[in-house]
Structures are given as structure tokens and as C-alpha cells.
Amino acid sequence: SYFNYGIYNEGTIGVLTNDGLIAATLLENGSSSYGIYNEGTIGSLINNGSITSRLSGINVYACSIGSLINNGSITSKSGYGINVSSNAKITTLTNTGLVAGKQGIIVDDTDNSAKMTTLTNTGLIAGKDGVGIDVRPKLSNLTNTGVIGKRKY
């Protein structure tokens, strides 16, 4: 396999709560890794622990997460802390912890269909390459009393 996942979802999860460690590491064959790869529906994802991987801490692809609450850390070694793409949607993201990667959060899609409705940050959203949050199609509401930007973490 060329992929490595902490959690892979293509079904429906009502509430996913992490109080520990969800990790996916690089395999010897150089394959991709994702902490959580979601192609289904997650009603609420609550992270009080650590979600980490090589490519994306959380990858939301052609699906939805209703509410994502991060009180812990969501990190990627060489990709995105949180990646929302290909007609995917996160309705509400609340960050009081750390979201970090090459870019902290990216909401991107070639046909502008990926969306994030509300992002509230009182923590740290960091991008090693200088971009904390990269929104190309749509982010309706952003409230920040924390730190967003280029930072080492």
C-alpha cells in the first residue's frame, strides 16, 4: 500500500473523541501518511490529544465534518495540519491548541467547492512555509484572538 492512516473513514461517525495519540508515519517505501483521512461524514471530531502524520494531520476529501474542536495538537511534518479539498466541508472549526504543518490549514479546490463556514482561533495556527491559513474558495467567518502565521513549532 502507498498510504498509511491513523484512522480512515468512508462511513459515518457521530462523535470521534481523541484523548491520546493518532499517528501515521512514513513507511519505508516513501508512501503517503495521514493522521485522519475522512471520505465520509463525521458529526463532531474532538481532539484533546495529538494527531500527527507526514502529509496531513486531518485530510477532509469530498465529505464533511460538522464540528472540529482542537484542544490538543494537529500536525504534519511536510504537508498540512488540516487539508479541506474536493467538495469537502468543515462547518465549524474551533482551535484552542496547535494546528501546524508546511501550511497550518488549507481550504483549496480546483473548482472552488471546498468550504469552511466558521473558524475560531484562540490557539496557534502555524505554517513553516509562511502561511498559517490558505483559503482559496471560501471561509465565511474568521475570529482570531490567538496567533496565525509563520512559526516554528
Side-chain angles (χ1 to χ4, degrees):
S1 174
Y2 290 98
F3 299 99
N4 184 16
Y5 310 102
I7 294 174
Y8 178 84
N9 176 49
E10 58 182 358
T12 300
I13 298 173
V15 178
L16 192 164
T17 302
N18 176 45
D19 290 320
L21 172 65
I22 297 172
T25 57
L26 179 65
L27 298 176
E28 289 180 15
N29 65 4
S31 66
S32 303
S33 68
Y34 304 90
I36 296 175
Y37 193 97
N38 185 44
E39 286 187 316
T41 300
I42 299 175
S44 295
L45 194 164
I46 303 159
N47 179 47
N48 300 313
S50 179
I51 300 170
T52 187
S53 76
R54 177 175 171 248
L55 282 184
S56 291
I58 298 175
N59 195 72
V60 187
Y61 180 81
C63 61
S64 68
I65 295 177
S67 172
L68 195 165
I69 299 168
N70 179 46
N71 301 312
S73 66
I74 300 170
T75 60
S76 168
K77 295 189 184 336
S78 61
Y80 310 107
I82 298 172
N83 180 24
V84 183
S85 64
S86 298
N87 202 29
K89 180 178 182 179
I90 295 178
T91 303
T92 303
L93 191 157
T94 303
N95 180 52
T96 65
L98 170 67
V99 178
K102 178 174 125 179
Q103 294 181 359
I105 297 171
I106 186 165
V107 181
D108 184 24
D109 204 342
T110 55
D111 65 358
N112 292 331
S113 61
K115 296 179 186 108
M116 185 177 296
T117 305
T118 301
L119 191 157
T120 303
N121 179 54
T122 59
L124 172 60
I125 300 174
K128 288 188 268 187
D129 286 354
V131 179
I133 301 172
D134 183 354
V135 179
R136 296 183 191 173
K138 187 172 183 179
L139 170 61
S140 299
N141 304 297
L142 171 64
T143 302
N144 179 53
T145 57
V147 177
I148 299 172
K150 181 177 182 175
R151 303 278 274 215
K152 292 184 180 181
Y153 59 92

